[in-house]
Amino acid sequence: MNFADRMCAAVAAKGTPALVGLDPHLELLPEEFSAARDPSRPRAQRAARMGDFCCELLELVAPLVPAVKPQSAFFEALGADGVVQWERVVRRARALGLLVIGDVKRGDIQSTARAYATAFLEGAGESREFACDAITLSPFLGSDSIEPFLEVCERTDTGLFVLVRTSNPGSADFQRSGSPELSFQIAARVARWGERMVGASGLSSIGAVVGATHAAELASFRASMPRAPFLLPGYGAQGATARDLGGAFLPGGGGALVNSSRGICFAYKDARYAGLSWTAATLAATRAMIADLATATGGR
Amino acid sequence: MNFADRMCAAVAAKGTPALVGLDPHLELLPEEFSAARDPSRPRAQRAARMGDFCCELLELVAPLVPAVKPQSAFFEALGADGVVQWERVVRRARALGLLVIGDVKRGDIQSTARAYATAFLEGAGESREFACDAITLSPFLGSDSIEPFLEVCERTDTGLFVLVRTSNPGSADFQRSGSPELSFQIAARVARWGERMVGASGLSSIGAVVGATHAAELASFRASMPRAPFLLPGYGAQGATARDLGGAFLPGGGGALVNSSRGICFAYKDARYAGLSWTAATLAATRAMIADLATATGGR
């Protein structure tokens, strides 16, 4: 089944578009995982402890949400040992029935792009167990840098979320240049790239990352990319609320995943959950997010 | 010593701005490394054989060139086992006295950018032996996504090459949008980001990737970024020649590194070197590149 259809089915099954971002910042891990940040320990041991945290978190959220988004930087920060844990986390998430969106934001010339597609969508070393269901990509290098990923997506029923407008303040520096603004030029390409991969759901497997922090523009982005699944970062720790998201959804409330990373992973640091264990805080924050998002998607 | 000064010293010592790109495409490796592409073998064994190729190549070119540029995609395509080899290759290159420019083209929001800076410039898991001397970065997310790298570069005497105009045909899709063109907007930022890291050489540790395939514009990019070291991809397999490069250099012939990847790594497939072993072909191609570049840099 194509990625878009799998995403729609997963959202329907869990009844929420909530996406949990796995950003295992070492310095924010709960105390019982502090070995991960202890430089006196062997790197493999530290990485394994970080992986333990991610896997425990997966067990908590798997019954509640359709998808997770591990951020590769935090794994790579522990080098090859961290990447061992990336593979463990991807495999475990898939075994738990979660869709895995690898937040890798790669982007390179064609011959190199093919190698990245192998790494993240075909499964490194041709083992599908390490493959993500979809990844994020940077479009900065242009169409020929995206093409190898499109081929692999078609062949392996995986998907892409292309950066169109990121959630950070600096996104205005370059993404708004030109007329139409660069982000809208990219949006037009995303719509075109996705035409060949529209599923039974009416959505394409080629989606867009659009920051939830740009509430006023979400409806315009939706109009430019009517069939693209949206991945909306910026909810929670970065300041966006469910009220900001309305424009991103399709009529009926589908077509988008809303990401929260630190707000879920490190909910135990939030004053609202003071006194709770990290697991109880994470569960409470996940449930609060799901309830909040229901207001944006009409109770879906 | 700051990265720019180390780069100038290395170029002066070897008498050439030739940069060897390590792009270990599995399907292009010489026959004696074919185990690397044999899917029936364990992934760790395949990766180790790819690493053997890279390390033998390092031994060949280390006496001749100042720097190498491993491309992370080809290592990541073999997953965690590939990343083990990435670390082996970075460590070996540094031990051979080569500058290592990690071609990673990362780019992400601030908190994530910090993790990437740890991964590639501080040394994953805080071990400097795995750290690169400089890395390539994508500027698509804007200034706040670059800032964490600038801090780490200042602290660790490492450098950056920010993508300004890439060498591929698709670079025109987005990099030329706007007025001034996006690439020139980025160039102006690169010049500003680099102001705080100008070394005794007069060059900054914050450089730019500018495709050698855009010969007509190299002088304009040089005028916009008078203190930035340039990394020029596109020479050789991608079609640019030494004649195309003149505008990128500073008066006196310094300030730029010229990259060739496939033209050196896989010279044995080139009709000009028919009948030679892969090592002899690689050596001949490296020497030919050095001689060719001497014409662009006034014999420097």
Side-chain angles (χ1 to χ4, degrees):
Chain A
M1 213 200 302
N2 104 343
F3 170 72
D5 292 347
R6 290 196 285 133
M7 176 185 138
C8 291
V11 168
K14 299 288 172 62
T16 178
L19 170 65
V20 170
L22 297 177
D23 284 20
H25 285 265
L26 297 185
E27 63 281 20
L28 299 179
L29 295 179
E31 196 48 38
E32 64 201 273
F33 300 95
S34 62
R37 54 180 169 258
D38 175 357
S40 73
R41 287 174 191 265
R43 195 179 68 168
Q45 233 179 63
R46 299 175 57 198
R49 202 64 192 125
M50 178 191 71
D52 292 344
F53 169 75
C54 293
C55 288
E56 291 192 32
L57 199 134
L58 290 174
E59 304 285 338
L60 291 172
V61 301
L64 303 175
V65 302
V68 291
K69 179 177 74 64
Q71 167 51 256
S72 67
F74 297 103
F75 296 86
E76 292 179 65
L78 287 169
D81 295 311
V83 179
V84 167
Q85 298 301 317
W86 165 272
E87 296 185 338
R88 172 187 172 201
V89 167
V90 168
R91 203 169 42 211
R92 184 73 194 128
R94 295 188 65 191
L96 286 166
L98 289 159
L99 289 178
V100 178
I101 300 172
D103 198 353
V104 301
K105 297 189 180 67
R106 301 300 197 260
D108 214 308
I109 65 168
Q110 205 155 31
S111 53
T112 305
R114 268 187 219 109
Y116 277 131
T118 297
F120 295 110
L121 294 176
E122 298 192 281
E126 289 94 61
S127 166
R128 285 286 299 156
E129 62 181 327
F130 302 133
C132 300
D133 295 289
I135 55 171
T136 57
L137 281 189
S138 168
F140 182 73
L141 274 79
S143 288
D144 56 356
S145 73
I146 303 292
E147 188 54 43
F149 292 99
L150 298 178
E151 285 167 26
V152 172
C153 285
E154 239 178 332
R155 180 155 43 79
T156 60
D157 284 331
T158 53
L160 301 177
F161 289 94
V162 177
L163 302 183
V164 166
R165 185 73 186 278
T166 56
S167 57
N168 59 317
S171 65
D173 289 347
F174 305 128
Q175 296 168 27
R176 304 197 60 173
S177 83
S179 175
E181 288 182 3
L182 179 60
S183 287
F184 283 94
Q185 296 177 44
I186 297 167
R189 299 271 187 159
V190 167
R192 207 182 316 153
W193 293 328
E195 280 167 6
R196 65 204 231 202
M197 272 176 266
V198 175
S201 58
L203 278 183
S204 168
S205 294
I206 309 306
V209 174
V210 184
T213 45
H214 311 293
E217 291 167 291
L218 289 178
S220 309
F221 283 117
R222 176 44 79 200
S224 322
M225 298 176 281
R227 291 178 179 284
F230 279 17
L231 192 171
L232 304 167
Y235 176 89
Q238 290 181 61
T241 64
R243 225 164 304 137
D244 298 324
L245 306 175
F249 289 91
L250 292 168
L257 294 172
V258 183
N259 181 73
S260 178
S261 300
R262 283 166 283 172
I264 302 291
C265 294
F266 307 119
Y268 80 97
K269 288 187 168 281
D270 185 323
R272 280 174 295 183
Y273 306 117
L276 295 186
S277 67
W278 81 267
T279 54
T282 284
L283 277 175
T286 307
R287 291 197 179 106
M289 181 189 183
I290 291 169
D292 186 39
L293 293 180
T295 67
T297 57
R300 191 192 169 152
Chain B
M1 214 199 300
N2 104 342
F3 169 72
D5 291 346
R6 290 195 287 133
M7 177 185 138
C8 292
V11 168
K14 299 287 172 62
T16 179
L19 169 66
V20 171
L22 297 177
D23 283 20
H25 285 266
L26 296 185
E27 63 280 20
L28 299 179
L29 295 180
E31 196 48 37
E32 63 201 274
F33 300 95
S34 62
R37 54 179 169 259
D38 175 357
S40 73
R41 288 174 190 265
R43 195 179 67 169
Q45 234 180 61
R46 299 174 59 197
R49 203 63 191 126
M50 178 192 70
D52 292 344
F53 169 75
C54 293
C55 287
E56 290 192 32
L57 199 134
L58 290 175
E59 304 285 338
L60 291 172
V61 301
L64 302 175
V65 302
V68 291
K69 179 177 74 65
Q71 166 54 257
S72 67
F74 297 102
F75 296 85
E76 293 179 64
L78 287 168
D81 295 310
V83 179
V84 167
Q85 298 301 317
W86 165 272
E87 295 185 338
R88 171 187 172 202
V89 168
V90 168
R91 204 170 41 211
R92 184 71 194 129
R94 295 189 67 192
L96 287 166
L98 290 159
L99 289 178
V100 178
I101 301 172
D103 198 354
V104 301
K105 296 189 180 68
R106 301 300 197 260
D108 214 308
I109 65 167
Q110 205 156 32
S111 53
T112 305
R114 266 186 222 112
Y116 278 132
T118 297
F120 295 110
L121 295 175
E122 298 191 282
E126 289 95 59
S127 167
R128 284 286 300 154
E129 62 181 329
F130 303 133
C132 300
D133 295 290
I135 56 172
T136 57
L137 281 189
S138 169
F140 182 73
L141 274 79
S143 289
D144 57 356
S145 74
I146 303 293
E147 188 54 45
F149 293 98
L150 298 179
E151 284 166 27
V152 172
C153 285
E154 240 179 333
R155 181 155 41 79
T156 60
D157 283 331
T158 52
L160 301 177
F161 290 94
V162 177
L163 301 183
V164 166
R165 185 74 187 277
T166 56
S167 57
N168 60 317
S171 66
D173 288 348
F174 305 129
Q175 296 168 26
R176 303 196 61 174
S177 83
S179 175
E181 289 182 2
L182 179 59
S183 286
F184 283 94
Q185 296 177 45
I186 297 167
R189 298 272 185 157
V190 167
R192 207 183 315 154
W193 293 329
E195 279 167 6
R196 66 204 230 202
M197 272 176 267
V198 175
S201 58
L203 278 182
S204 167
S205 294
I206 308 307
V209 174
V210 183
T213 45
H214 310 294
E217 292 168 291
L218 288 178
S220 309
F221 283 117
R222 177 43 81 198
S224 320
M225 298 176 281
R227 292 178 178 284
F230 279 17
L231 191 171
L232 304 166
Y235 175 89
Q238 288 182 63
T241 65
R243 227 164 303 137
D244 298 325
L245 306 175
F249 289 91
L250 291 168
L257 294 172
V258 183
N259 181 72
S260 177
S261 301
R262 283 166 283 171
I264 302 290
C265 294
F266 307 119
Y268 81 98
K269 288 187 168 280
D270 185 324
R272 281 174 293 182
Y273 307 116
L276 296 185
S277 67
W278 81 268
T279 54
T282 284
L283 277 174
T286 307
R287 291 198 179 105
M289 181 188 182
I290 291 169
D292 186 39
L293 293 180
T295 67
T297 57
R300 190 193 168 149

